[in-house]
Amino acid sequence: MTNPSPHEPTDQLPLPEREPTREGVLRADAKIGQLLPETPLVELDLPAGGSVLCKVESLQPVGAFKIRGAWHRLSDLSERERARGVIAVSSGNHAQGVAWAAARLGIAATIVMPSNAPEVKLAATRALGADIVLYDRMRESRDAIARDLCNERGAVLVHAYGDPWVIEGQGTAGIEITLQMAARGLGSPTRIVCPCGGGGLASGLALACPDAQVVPVEPEGWDDVTRSLAAGGILTLGSAPPPTTCDALQTPYTFPVNFAVMSAHGMVGVTVSEAEVRRAQRLAFARLRLVIEPGGAAALAAILAGKVPHDHGTVVVLSGGNVDPAAFAQVLVGSD
């Protein structure tokens, strides 16, 4: 297998050649509504005053919103495609979503995962029946490895964010948010703040809620989407990005299909520090009794740090809860 720089886009990935649409989000929502219960929309009082609504995607069956896009993608495969199996790339949450969907549909799944992914995510993916191919996140390109596997096996690529079905599936969280707010007489969402890796969730939310401001939040040093949106074109990470506990958000570049939606929506990204993420994790645990992984707490971290304004229509996506117990315990006893 050929392994170009992990921080440069990989050409010739077998990606679907269509654009995601709001109609696709609505179709995905109808499918997902028959399979999964709505995740809660809860109010969180903020230490500085006021409150925000939190969409608790950490309570999905696989502990993250990724199950949405995975189910929409795999359930749309033809019988011939299902027989060929699927290849996915993921740090762990998309891996579990794909493995969960594949198990229910009788599809063989192989996931390309970083060797330093949290053990809790590796173990959960294996337990769901998927095969795992490990790679070095800083030296190898997961997209190149996935491309070669697809070529060798004739399998279907299910990319973690650069796939129109995946984008549409993630957008169903926005449809749920809108309906839940309306049912409680809260109007429509004015702003949705979400963690961002490659932009699959942010893109889907923009399609689902075109009148809401969508704010993608990335870890400091892994802000390729934030910088790309500011520059008006896709940029990649530098050669030596800093370490981060937000493993779910460590993507080296976004894809044109994501960038097109995010830029058309006029998104402006923000970044958060490791300390800000830890404070958000502690607050979610203390006030909501929720276990949120670092990447899943990034959006809340931006609100708490005052980097994103909030009003009665602001919704924060708590996107994942797959965290190592020992690491989470260390966060809880910290004070920064």
Side-chain angles (χ1 to χ4, degrees):
M1 296 182 183
T2 58
N3 294 312
S5 167
H7 302 142
E8 294 297 330
T10 303
D11 294 331
Q12 300 177 338
L13 269 176
L15 295 168
E17 295 183 359
R18 77 168 180 86
E19 298 301 317
T21 65
R22 190 170 193 277
E23 290 71 25
V25 175
L26 293 172
R27 191 171 69 84
D29 184 64
K31 292 163 57 180
I32 290 167
Q34 296 175 353
L35 181 73
L36 301 172
E38 290 184 348
T39 53
L41 185 68
V42 300
E43 185 172 3
L44 171 65
D45 292 328
L46 301 173
S51 65
V52 293
L53 295 169
C54 294
K55 181 64 169 167
V56 190
E57 286 294 287
S58 58
L59 296 181
Q60 289 284 5
V62 299
F65 73 96
K66 294 287 192 175
I67 195 172
R68 297 176 180 272
W71 182 256
H72 185 41
R73 182 67 170 113
L74 269 65
S75 62
D76 256 23
L77 295 177
S78 67
E79 289 301 320
R80 182 177 180 182
E81 288 172 323
R82 294 184 187 193
R84 288 155 46 192
V86 297
I87 305 293
V89 296
S90 174
S91 67
N93 289 340
H94 179 65
Q96 293 173 72
V98 170
W100 188 93
R104 278 154 181 76
L105 294 168
I107 300 172
T110 298
I111 320 292
V112 181
M113 299 181 67
S115 56
N116 64 344
E119 182 56 37
V120 65
K121 295 183 178 181
L122 291 166
T125 302
R126 291 191 182 98
L128 287 165
D131 293 327
I132 295 176
V133 173
L134 297 175
Y135 77 101
D136 185 323
R137 195 196 295 266
M138 301 310 299
R139 298 178 59 187
E140 298 177 289
S141 166
R142 69 180 187 177
D143 287 344
I145 294 170
R147 178 200 62 202
D148 290 346
L149 288 171
C150 287
N151 290 339
E152 291 170 7
R153 304 179 184 182
V156 177
L157 176 67
V158 183
H159 199 272
Y161 55 87
D163 180 295
W165 277 270
V166 169
I167 291 169
E168 290 168 349
Q170 318 307 29
T172 62
I175 301 297
E176 284 187 16
I177 288 169
T178 301
L179 294 175
Q180 288 171 312
M181 290 182 66
R184 290 158 60 175
L186 299 176
S188 299
T190 57
R191 180 182 298 107
I192 305 177
V193 191
C194 66
C196 181
L201 177 59
S203 302
L205 291 171
L207 293 172
C209 305
D211 296 327
Q213 178 191 20
V214 178
V215 183
V217 183
E218 297 175 289
E220 288 180 351
W222 290 85
D223 57 343
D224 57 288
V225 168
T226 297
R227 292 185 297 108
S228 295
L229 291 170
I234 295 176
L235 302 176
T236 63
L237 289 176
S239 59
T244 177
T245 56
C246 299
D247 62 280
L249 308 183
Q250 288 181 275
T251 54
Y253 45 81
T254 189
F255 280 20
V257 66
N258 307 98
F259 183 76
V261 175
M262 292 188 290
S263 58
H265 198 71
M267 290 189 201
V268 176
V270 301
T271 63
V272 289
S273 70
E274 294 290 297
E276 288 165 346
V277 166
R278 290 192 292 272
R279 286 196 289 271
Q281 289 180 278
R282 284 195 288 270
L283 185 72
F285 183 78
R287 300 200 174 181
L288 298 178
R289 305 299 185 264
L290 292 172
V291 175
I292 307 297
E293 66 183 273
L300 179 57
I303 291 285
L304 295 178
K307 296 179 177 180
V308 179
H310 60 88
D311 58 20
H312 67 279
T314 298
V315 178
V316 172
V317 180
L318 302 176
S319 63
N322 295 311
V323 62
D324 176 79
F328 188 68
Q330 288 297 314
V331 169
L332 294 183
V333 299
S335 59
D336 56 349

